[in-house]
Amino acid sequence: MKIFFDGGSRPLPNGMEIAVVIGGEVIVRRGLGAGTSMDAEWLALIEAMRLAGQRDIADAVLIGDAAAVIAQANGEARCPRSCLGHLQRLRAMPRPPGRVRIRYIKRTQNLAGIALARLHGR
């Protein structure tokens, strides 16, 4: 099953926000505190993994538009010190059954990114 994720960061008091689209359901979490857009993307990926595990989704494909975060999560790029906690948290999470893949998709095709943009009238 494909699970789309996206994160964004806005000035406080709004702060970080994430969206996950799973099985046609849109899940949005807002007001997640201060952080960078990369932090928000990591939080979105972690939430997508959490939901895949919670729902016992076999062979999950987590799809996002943050190329750097995806490369770091897949071990294809060095993770900056500021994001190591996110990577460690992702790796320590319970995995859903089967193979879990984390893939890149263009922003215009990311259903979670589209959901976040609609919240802001973009």
Side-chain angles (χ1 to χ4, degrees):
M1 172 181 276
K2 292 180 181 178
I3 303 169
F4 297 86
F5 67 91
D6 195 28
S9 182
R10 299 171 54 82
L12 290 174
N14 297 323
M16 293 183 293
E17 58 191 9
I18 63 170
V20 176
V21 177
I22 182 170
E25 179 185 359
V26 178
I27 299 155
V28 175
R29 305 219 192 289
R30 301 175 86 177
L32 299 176
T36 67
S37 58
M38 185 174 275
D39 289 325
E41 294 286 358
W42 270 107
L43 293 179
L45 171 56
I46 289 166
E47 180 67 2
M49 181 71 77
R50 187 189 73 74
L51 289 167
Q54 181 184 55
R55 296 178 185 201
D56 214 27
I57 295 172
D59 301 318
V61 182
L62 311 181
I63 302 172
D65 58 36
V69 169
I70 292 164
Q72 292 163 15
N74 285 326
E76 299 164 354
R78 186 181 156 278
C79 193
R81 179 172 286 154
S82 61
C83 294
L84 282 176
H86 298 308
L87 178 62
Q88 291 168 348
R89 184 173 166 200
L90 180 73
R91 288 182 175 167
M93 295 180 76
R95 298 286 176 142
R99 184 174 174 205
V100 176
R101 292 172 286 164
I102 304 171
R103 299 285 182 243
Y104 171 80
I105 194 169
K106 293 178 186 177
R107 179 173 296 276
T108 56
Q109 298 171 317
N110 186 350
L111 298 180
I114 293 166
L116 278 182
R118 286 186 179 157
L119 284 175
H120 304 293
R122 293 183 255 150

